[in-house]
Amino acid sequence: MNQDQLSSGVFFVVGCAICLYSLSYRLGTLAAPESGLMPFLSGAAIAVLAALGFILGTLRRRHGDGWTPLFRGVVWRRSLLTLAALLAYLFLQAHVGFAVTTVLFLGFLLRAIFPQRWSVVIATALLTAVVAYLVFEVWLQAQLPKGPFGI
Amino acid sequence: MDTLSSIGMGFQTALTPANLFACLVGVVTGTLVGVLPGLGPVAAMSLLLPTTFHISPVSAIIMMAGIYYGAMYGGSTTSILVNIPGESASVVTCLDGYQMARQGRAGPALGIAALGSFIAGTIATVGLMLAAPPLSRLAIRFGPPEYCALILLGLTTVTFLATGPMWKSLLMAALGLFLGCIGMDPRTGLSRFTFGLIELYDGVGLVPVAMGLFGVAEVLLNVEQSMRSTVVETKIRNLLPTRADWAASIGPILRGTGLGFFLGVLPGGGSLISSFAAYAMEKKLSRHPEQFGRGAIEGVAGPESANNSATAGAFVPLLTLGIPSNAVMALLLGALIIFGVQPGPRLVVEHPQLFWGVVASMYVGNVLLLVLNLPLIGIWVQILKVPYPILFPLILLFCLIGAYSLNNSSAEVALMILFGVTGYFLKKLEYEPAPLILALVLGPMMELSFRQSLAMGDGNLLFFFMRPISGIILSVALIFLVLPLIPGISRNKPTVEV
């Protein structure tokens, strides 16, 4: 199996699921289309194109175009840690507030992904959090999440 | 109102302190985005969109337009000094610009890039000013079938020109159309594919999707690479080109301007394809084609002029037809809709301040960019030295704040992260996300015009071909769909990252 076969297989299932679910919204007739028609057509297009992609992928596979590892030659751990930091930010900001979460988030990324000196980490994280707070909360009046200290 | 008095009113609007400030912020941000590799104008505009909710629509659009054409200026600096394109439209500038820098001619290369961009941007704005009003008058006659056909043409051209296999681009467009269906059906009030989530009732937001696909995904892909770049160690002097440089460059600048504007107007066209086409044209026309790739100033002047000219050209279909020709314009369309402005043929009549204000701001912006990119070039060179390991957490923070401040909701942040991960895998599997963004914005418009057209034609699908304009447009769209099936054409089709 190669990348195109796998991805088009997934998209085929997605397209079929969209088509089936669209039926529950009623398609109507061509003269009087209803809410389900457009999602049905887009789902059908996804499924048909994915089927075409699967066939083309299979033909390429027969010509020796096999699976290429997605993470070869890269440090995937860094993307995973970055994603973990984003998710942690999402969950923490509601409980701890914008300021503290931002300092922790920046500090973690600066130290864990491409490790910087502690002085750079602390200075950048604190300074950015303060500037971001002043710009967004004070100047632009965006209502950033508040923590126990009101910031 | 004639064109002169209209543009006079436009300058009155563009030169108010608030709009002048918005223009300055836009072009500075655009140059910054252009200079910094790994952050394009789509990501930057989606990051800044939530912050524009606090200012007037005219200021917001002026600022976002400034980001777009500012990025074209800034991109050349990185291409010339680092040999890494700061922005995709500056890829081709690396070929000769970097060679010029290595030969100690970084100054003339940067100078001709800025001056060529200025000349092209200014002439192309005149083109926009002259082309848009008559096109708007023509487009007023368009009904739902014509709009539906135009949207389809836009999507097929983008997918035709996108990098990689066409089926992947079409699949992305179909996925975007589906995402555009999520939420309340405006005609029946029925909520579709919301699964009880109130946050989805208004549909999938453009900003979190664009931020995820272009901002977060790009960072996730970049951090797993070793980001090493070196700025050419050369003293930047003689920014003003010599008489010989001008003699060699003026032709490419003017030809690039014309070509760029024309390709910018076309759906699916844009800055990248314009710059490549201009480079190919100059190499073909040159008496010394062997010098291209070895530091020919024409190889910098032509493409840099073309990519700037294309940005002004891209505004023509957006402002006159309400049809974006690329992902950046799709974001601008989304922004206009968020501000309650319906882009299309009536925009010039109903919102003259916005239309002429934006046009006039482009003249102002080009002058500002010339100042930013010639006397202040040293600042951008210093910014180039900021390492990516310091930069990427700031980009992510900006994404997080931007997504949250849309509706003060963590759901938007979650959506952005979800699309960030999706975009990461899509890129890994070689799917271009730009058609998805374009289709997401155009989806609701397409659904409405499609359903209206079907009702008008009493369910007859041939109705689209019975009306001459929609028939011609649909035929062109069909040609674009069929062309890749012809073996010679599918191998030679031009491609572009939109």
mmCIF file of all heavy atoms in Angstrom, chain A residues 48-82:
data_model
loop_
_atom_site.group_PDB
_atom_site.id
_atom_site.type_symbol
_atom_site.label_atom_id
_atom_site.label_comp_id
_atom_site.label_asym_id
_atom_site.label_seq_id
_atom_site.Cartn_x
_atom_site.Cartn_y
_atom_site.Cartn_z
ATOM 1 N N VAL A 48 -16.198 9.744 -5.090
ATOM 2 C CA VAL A 48 -15.809 9.417 -6.475
ATOM 3 C C VAL A 48 -14.331 9.762 -6.706
ATOM 4 O O VAL A 48 -13.567 8.965 -7.260
ATOM 5 C CB VAL A 48 -16.715 10.171 -7.483
ATOM 6 C CG1 VAL A 48 -16.173 10.058 -8.893
ATOM 7 C CG2 VAL A 48 -18.135 9.624 -7.428
ATOM 8 N N LEU A 49 -13.927 10.948 -6.257
ATOM 9 C CA LEU A 49 -12.527 11.361 -6.448
ATOM 10 C C LEU A 49 -11.575 10.463 -5.658
ATOM 11 O O LEU A 49 -10.478 10.142 -6.123
ATOM 12 C CB LEU A 49 -12.344 12.830 -6.040
ATOM 13 C CG LEU A 49 -12.982 13.837 -6.996
ATOM 14 C CD1 LEU A 49 -13.153 15.195 -6.329
ATOM 15 C CD2 LEU A 49 -12.125 13.984 -8.256
ATOM 16 N N ALA A 50 -12.023 10.058 -4.464
ATOM 17 C CA ALA A 50 -11.187 9.169 -3.659
ATOM 18 C C ALA A 50 -11.051 7.807 -4.345
ATOM 19 O O ALA A 50 -9.962 7.211 -4.360
ATOM 20 C CB ALA A 50 -11.782 9.013 -2.262
ATOM 21 N N ALA A 51 -12.154 7.329 -4.933
ATOM 22 C CA ALA A 51 -12.097 6.046 -5.659
ATOM 23 C C ALA A 51 -11.117 6.154 -6.828
ATOM 24 O O ALA A 51 -10.306 5.248 -7.062
ATOM 25 C CB ALA A 51 -13.495 5.671 -6.147
ATOM 26 N N LEU A 52 -11.187 7.292 -7.526
ATOM 27 C CA LEU A 52 -10.258 7.528 -8.636
ATOM 28 C C LEU A 52 -8.814 7.552 -8.126
ATOM 29 O O LEU A 52 -7.916 6.946 -8.721
ATOM 30 C CB LEU A 52 -10.605 8.869 -9.310
ATOM 31 C CG LEU A 52 -9.701 9.321 -10.445
ATOM 32 C CD1 LEU A 52 -9.927 8.463 -11.676
ATOM 33 C CD2 LEU A 52 -9.963 10.789 -10.794
ATOM 34 N N GLY A 53 -8.623 8.231 -7.007
ATOM 35 C CA GLY A 53 -7.288 8.301 -6.409
ATOM 36 C C GLY A 53 -6.780 6.932 -6.010
ATOM 37 O O GLY A 53 -5.591 6.625 -6.169
ATOM 38 N N PHE A 54 -7.702 6.094 -5.489
ATOM 39 C CA PHE A 54 -7.300 4.747 -5.073
ATOM 40 C C PHE A 54 -6.839 3.932 -6.288
ATOM 41 O O PHE A 54 -5.819 3.236 -6.236
ATOM 42 C CB PHE A 54 -8.471 4.049 -4.366
ATOM 43 C CG PHE A 54 -8.061 2.769 -3.701
ATOM 44 C CD1 PHE A 54 -7.522 2.785 -2.416
ATOM 45 C CD2 PHE A 54 -8.186 1.555 -4.361
ATOM 46 C CE1 PHE A 54 -7.124 1.602 -1.806
ATOM 47 C CE2 PHE A 54 -7.788 0.375 -3.756
ATOM 48 C CZ PHE A 54 -7.255 0.399 -2.470
ATOM 49 N N ILE A 55 -7.603 4.067 -7.383
ATOM 50 C CA ILE A 55 -7.233 3.329 -8.616
ATOM 51 C C ILE A 55 -5.862 3.809 -9.119
ATOM 52 O O ILE A 55 -4.978 3.003 -9.432
ATOM 53 C CB ILE A 55 -8.317 3.518 -9.704
ATOM 54 C CG1 ILE A 55 -9.609 2.858 -9.258
ATOM 55 C CG2 ILE A 55 -7.860 2.933 -11.047
ATOM 56 C CD1 ILE A 55 -10.832 3.247 -10.067
ATOM 57 N N LEU A 56 -5.683 5.133 -9.165
ATOM 58 C CA LEU A 56 -4.403 5.679 -9.640
ATOM 59 C C LEU A 56 -3.256 5.264 -8.716
ATOM 60 O O LEU A 56 -2.158 4.943 -9.174
ATOM 61 C CB LEU A 56 -4.482 7.212 -9.736
ATOM 62 C CG LEU A 56 -5.415 7.767 -10.820
ATOM 63 C CD1 LEU A 56 -5.550 9.281 -10.700
ATOM 64 C CD2 LEU A 56 -4.901 7.397 -12.209
ATOM 65 N N GLY A 57 -3.541 5.266 -7.400
ATOM 66 C CA GLY A 57 -2.538 4.842 -6.424
ATOM 67 C C GLY A 57 -2.164 3.387 -6.614
ATOM 68 O O GLY A 57 -0.991 3.000 -6.516
ATOM 69 N N THR A 58 -3.187 2.565 -6.909
ATOM 70 C CA THR A 58 -2.942 1.138 -7.126
ATOM 71 C C THR A 58 -2.078 0.928 -8.378
ATOM 72 O O THR A 58 -1.150 0.111 -8.381
ATOM 73 C CB THR A 58 -4.284 0.381 -7.279
ATOM 74 O OG1 THR A 58 -5.095 0.733 -6.161
ATOM 75 C CG2 THR A 58 -4.095 -1.115 -7.320
ATOM 76 N N LEU A 59 -2.391 1.713 -9.424
ATOM 77 C CA LEU A 59 -1.595 1.598 -10.664
ATOM 78 C C LEU A 59 -0.139 1.998 -10.395
ATOM 79 O O LEU A 59 0.795 1.362 -10.874
ATOM 80 C CB LEU A 59 -2.189 2.494 -11.756
ATOM 81 C CG LEU A 59 -3.539 2.034 -12.335
ATOM 82 C CD1 LEU A 59 -4.085 3.072 -13.310
ATOM 83 C CD2 LEU A 59 -3.390 0.685 -13.031
ATOM 84 N N ARG A 60 0.028 3.058 -9.596
ATOM 85 C CA ARG A 60 1.396 3.500 -9.265
ATOM 86 C C ARG A 60 2.108 2.449 -8.424
ATOM 87 O O ARG A 60 3.311 2.244 -8.540
ATOM 88 C CB ARG A 60 1.340 4.832 -8.512
ATOM 89 C CG ARG A 60 1.093 6.018 -9.440
ATOM 90 C CD ARG A 60 0.957 7.312 -8.677
ATOM 91 N NE ARG A 60 2.084 7.526 -7.794
ATOM 92 C CZ ARG A 60 2.100 8.442 -6.835
ATOM 93 N NH1 ARG A 60 1.044 9.202 -6.635
ATOM 94 N NH2 ARG A 60 3.151 8.591 -6.072
ATOM 95 N N ARG A 61 1.334 1.808 -7.559
ATOM 96 C CA ARG A 61 1.904 0.755 -6.699
ATOM 97 C C ARG A 61 2.443 -0.385 -7.571
ATOM 98 O O ARG A 61 3.508 -0.934 -7.308
ATOM 99 C CB ARG A 61 0.800 0.247 -5.759
ATOM 100 C CG ARG A 61 1.184 -0.927 -4.879
ATOM 101 C CD ARG A 61 1.825 -0.448 -3.596
ATOM 102 N NE ARG A 61 2.260 -1.560 -2.769
ATOM 103 C CZ ARG A 61 3.432 -2.172 -2.883
ATOM 104 N NH1 ARG A 61 4.280 -1.804 -3.817
ATOM 105 N NH2 ARG A 61 3.772 -3.155 -2.084
ATOM 106 N N ARG A 62 1.666 -0.706 -8.616
ATOM 107 C CA ARG A 62 2.092 -1.795 -9.525
ATOM 108 C C ARG A 62 3.374 -1.431 -10.267
ATOM 109 O O ARG A 62 4.110 -2.291 -10.702
ATOM 110 C CB ARG A 62 0.981 -2.110 -10.527
ATOM 111 C CG ARG A 62 -0.148 -2.868 -9.855
ATOM 112 C CD ARG A 62 -1.081 -3.472 -10.861
ATOM 113 N NE ARG A 62 -2.211 -4.075 -10.169
ATOM 114 C CZ ARG A 62 -3.385 -4.266 -10.705
ATOM 115 N NH1 ARG A 62 -3.592 -3.907 -11.959
ATOM 116 N NH2 ARG A 62 -4.347 -4.826 -10.025
ATOM 117 N N HIS A 63 3.574 -0.105 -10.429
ATOM 118 C CA HIS A 63 4.809 0.340 -11.090
ATOM 119 C C HIS A 63 5.934 0.555 -10.077
ATOM 120 O O HIS A 63 6.924 1.223 -10.357
ATOM 121 C CB HIS A 63 4.550 1.627 -11.888
ATOM 122 C CG HIS A 63 3.758 1.386 -13.137
ATOM 123 N ND1 HIS A 63 2.395 1.617 -13.200
ATOM 124 C CD2 HIS A 63 4.108 0.895 -14.356
ATOM 125 C CE1 HIS A 63 1.964 1.301 -14.417
ATOM 126 N NE2 HIS A 63 2.984 0.853 -15.126
ATOM 127 N N GLY A 64 5.719 0.060 -8.868
ATOM 128 C CA GLY A 64 6.781 0.070 -7.865
ATOM 129 C C GLY A 64 6.793 1.278 -6.952
ATOM 130 O O GLY A 64 7.735 1.485 -6.190
ATOM 131 N N ASP A 65 5.734 2.112 -7.015
ATOM 132 C CA ASP A 65 5.680 3.286 -6.144
ATOM 133 C C ASP A 65 5.037 2.880 -4.810
ATOM 134 O O ASP A 65 3.815 2.901 -4.657
ATOM 135 C CB ASP A 65 4.860 4.390 -6.839
ATOM 136 C CG ASP A 65 5.050 5.736 -6.176
ATOM 137 O OD1 ASP A 65 5.697 5.780 -5.118
ATOM 138 O OD2 ASP A 65 4.549 6.735 -6.717
ATOM 139 N N GLY A 66 5.861 2.497 -3.864
ATOM 140 C CA GLY A 66 5.350 1.962 -2.602
ATOM 141 C C GLY A 66 5.229 3.004 -1.502
ATOM 142 O O GLY A 66 5.210 4.206 -1.754
ATOM 143 N N TRP A 67 5.164 2.523 -0.286
ATOM 144 C CA TRP A 67 4.974 3.378 0.883
ATOM 145 C C TRP A 67 6.263 4.131 1.223
ATOM 146 O O TRP A 67 7.322 3.531 1.326
ATOM 147 C CB TRP A 67 4.557 2.500 2.069
ATOM 148 C CG TRP A 67 4.347 3.274 3.336
ATOM 149 C CD1 TRP A 67 5.239 3.443 4.336
ATOM 150 C CD2 TRP A 67 3.178 3.981 3.706
ATOM 151 N NE1 TRP A 67 4.699 4.222 5.312
ATOM 152 C CE2 TRP A 67 3.424 4.569 4.957
ATOM 153 C CE3 TRP A 67 1.922 4.184 3.102
ATOM 154 C CZ2 TRP A 67 2.485 5.350 5.620
ATOM 155 C CZ3 TRP A 67 0.993 4.953 3.771
ATOM 156 C CH2 TRP A 67 1.276 5.524 5.005
ATOM 157 N N THR A 68 6.147 5.440 1.361
ATOM 158 C CA THR A 68 7.301 6.240 1.804
ATOM 159 C C THR A 68 7.020 6.656 3.241
ATOM 160 O O THR A 68 5.994 7.295 3.491
ATOM 161 C CB THR A 68 7.434 7.525 0.947
ATOM 162 O OG1 THR A 68 7.206 7.189 -0.411
ATOM 163 C CG2 THR A 68 8.789 8.168 1.113
ATOM 164 N N PRO A 69 7.886 6.298 4.168
ATOM 165 C CA PRO A 69 7.623 6.668 5.568
ATOM 166 C C PRO A 69 7.426 8.179 5.717
ATOM 167 O O PRO A 69 8.212 8.965 5.195
ATOM 168 C CB PRO A 69 8.887 6.196 6.298
ATOM 169 C CG PRO A 69 9.460 5.143 5.429
ATOM 170 C CD PRO A 69 9.129 5.533 4.028
ATOM 171 N N LEU A 70 6.353 8.538 6.436
ATOM 172 C CA LEU A 70 6.010 9.963 6.559
ATOM 173 C C LEU A 70 6.991 10.715 7.454
ATOM 174 O O LEU A 70 7.138 11.921 7.349
ATOM 175 C CB LEU A 70 4.599 10.114 7.138
ATOM 176 C CG LEU A 70 3.431 9.625 6.287
ATOM 177 C CD1 LEU A 70 2.112 9.822 7.012
ATOM 178 C CD2 LEU A 70 3.398 10.349 4.955
ATOM 179 N N PHE A 71 7.644 9.987 8.348
ATOM 180 C CA PHE A 71 8.466 10.669 9.352
ATOM 181 C C PHE A 71 9.958 10.401 9.164
ATOM 182 O O PHE A 71 10.743 10.583 10.082
ATOM 183 C CB PHE A 71 8.017 10.248 10.764
ATOM 184 C CG PHE A 71 6.561 10.538 11.010
ATOM 185 C CD1 PHE A 71 5.624 9.522 10.976
ATOM 186 C CD2 PHE A 71 6.134 11.838 11.234
ATOM 187 C CE1 PHE A 71 4.278 9.793 11.177
ATOM 188 C CE2 PHE A 71 4.798 12.115 11.437
ATOM 189 C CZ PHE A 71 3.857 11.085 11.411
ATOM 190 N N ARG A 72 10.330 9.980 7.948
ATOM 191 C CA ARG A 72 11.744 9.706 7.707
ATOM 192 C C ARG A 72 12.518 11.028 7.589
ATOM 193 O O ARG A 72 12.087 11.958 6.917
ATOM 194 C CB ARG A 72 11.912 8.898 6.415
ATOM 195 C CG ARG A 72 13.356 8.433 6.221
ATOM 196 C CD ARG A 72 13.467 7.321 5.216
ATOM 197 N NE ARG A 72 12.997 7.738 3.905
ATOM 198 C CZ ARG A 72 12.763 6.886 2.901
ATOM 199 N NH1 ARG A 72 12.919 5.591 3.083
ATOM 200 N NH2 ARG A 72 12.346 7.314 1.731
ATOM 201 N N GLY A 73 13.668 11.067 8.277
ATOM 202 C CA GLY A 73 14.537 12.234 8.171
ATOM 203 C C GLY A 73 14.052 13.456 8.919
ATOM 204 O O GLY A 73 14.566 14.551 8.713
ATOM 205 N N VAL A 74 13.029 13.296 9.741
ATOM 206 C CA VAL A 74 12.548 14.448 10.525
ATOM 207 C C VAL A 74 12.494 14.072 12.004
ATOM 208 O O VAL A 74 12.471 12.883 12.349
ATOM 209 C CB VAL A 74 11.139 14.913 10.071
ATOM 210 C CG1 VAL A 74 11.155 15.401 8.645
ATOM 211 C CG2 VAL A 74 10.110 13.807 10.247
ATOM 212 N N VAL A 75 12.505 15.098 12.863
ATOM 213 C CA VAL A 75 12.415 14.838 14.311
ATOM 214 C C VAL A 75 10.943 15.001 14.704
ATOM 215 O O VAL A 75 10.507 16.084 15.106
ATOM 216 C CB VAL A 75 13.319 15.818 15.097
ATOM 217 C CG1 VAL A 75 13.409 15.416 16.562
ATOM 218 C CG2 VAL A 75 14.711 15.869 14.481
ATOM 219 N N TRP A 76 10.158 13.929 14.546
ATOM 220 C CA TRP A 76 8.707 14.018 14.763
ATOM 221 C C TRP A 76 8.360 14.303 16.220
ATOM 222 O O TRP A 76 7.282 14.791 16.534
ATOM 223 C CB TRP A 76 7.992 12.756 14.267
ATOM 224 C CG TRP A 76 8.477 11.483 14.902
ATOM 225 C CD1 TRP A 76 9.427 10.660 14.410
ATOM 226 C CD2 TRP A 76 8.069 10.921 16.155
ATOM 227 N NE1 TRP A 76 9.643 9.612 15.257
ATOM 228 C CE2 TRP A 76 8.809 9.747 16.345
ATOM 229 C CE3 TRP A 76 7.147 11.276 17.134
ATOM 230 C CZ2 TRP A 76 8.668 8.945 17.468
ATOM 231 C CZ3 TRP A 76 6.998 10.481 18.260
ATOM 232 C CH2 TRP A 76 7.742 9.337 18.412
ATOM 233 N N ARG A 77 9.327 13.989 17.127
ATOM 234 C CA ARG A 77 9.079 14.233 18.551
ATOM 235 C C ARG A 77 8.768 15.711 18.799
ATOM 236 O O ARG A 77 7.942 16.062 19.636
ATOM 237 C CB ARG A 77 10.332 13.814 19.329
ATOM 238 C CG ARG A 77 10.189 13.759 20.829
ATOM 239 C CD ARG A 77 11.531 13.415 21.466
ATOM 240 N NE ARG A 77 12.531 14.446 21.209
ATOM 241 C CZ ARG A 77 12.751 15.493 21.993
ATOM 242 N NH1 ARG A 77 12.049 15.643 23.098
ATOM 243 N NH2 ARG A 77 13.665 16.388 21.697
ATOM 244 N N ARG A 78 9.421 16.580 18.016
ATOM 245 C CA ARG A 78 9.206 18.021 18.201
ATOM 246 C C ARG A 78 7.765 18.425 17.839
ATOM 247 O O ARG A 78 7.148 19.227 18.541
ATOM 248 C CB ARG A 78 10.180 18.816 17.321
ATOM 249 C CG ARG A 78 11.614 18.734 17.786
ATOM 250 C CD ARG A 78 12.422 19.831 17.108
ATOM 251 N NE ARG A 78 13.835 19.503 17.080
ATOM 252 C CZ ARG A 78 14.587 19.519 15.986
ATOM 253 N NH1 ARG A 78 14.067 19.863 14.835
ATOM 254 N NH2 ARG A 78 15.858 19.223 16.033
ATOM 255 N N SER A 79 7.249 17.869 16.737
ATOM 256 C CA SER A 79 5.857 18.201 16.358
ATOM 257 C C SER A 79 4.888 17.686 17.415
ATOM 258 O O SER A 79 3.914 18.359 17.755
ATOM 259 C CB SER A 79 5.466 17.570 15.029
ATOM 260 O OG SER A 79 6.536 17.447 14.209
ATOM 261 N N LEU A 80 5.187 16.482 17.926
ATOM 262 C CA LEU A 80 4.302 15.888 18.933
ATOM 263 C C LEU A 80 4.290 16.738 20.204
ATOM 264 O O LEU A 80 3.226 17.003 20.783
ATOM 265 C CB LEU A 80 4.786 14.464 19.235
ATOM 266 C CG LEU A 80 3.766 13.555 19.893
ATOM 267 C CD1 LEU A 80 2.595 13.284 18.962
ATOM 268 C CD2 LEU A 80 4.414 12.227 20.289
ATOM 269 N N LEU A 81 5.482 17.187 20.632
ATOM 270 C CA LEU A 81 5.562 18.023 21.836
ATOM 271 C C LEU A 81 4.860 19.366 21.620
ATOM 272 O O LEU A 81 4.194 19.885 22.516
ATOM 273 C CB LEU A 81 7.032 18.265 22.219
ATOM 274 C CG LEU A 81 7.746 17.108 22.914
ATOM 275 C CD1 LEU A 81 9.223 17.425 23.108
ATOM 276 C CD2 LEU A 81 7.111 16.807 24.272
ATOM 277 N N THR A 82 5.002 19.906 20.407
ATOM 278 C CA THR A 82 4.340 21.180 20.105
ATOM 279 C C THR A 82 2.827 21.010 20.156
ATOM 280 O O THR A 82 2.110 21.849 20.712
ATOM 281 C CB THR A 82 4.773 21.684 18.704
ATOM 282 O OG1 THR A 82 6.199 21.705 18.661
ATOM 283 C CG2 THR A 82 4.228 23.055 18.412
#
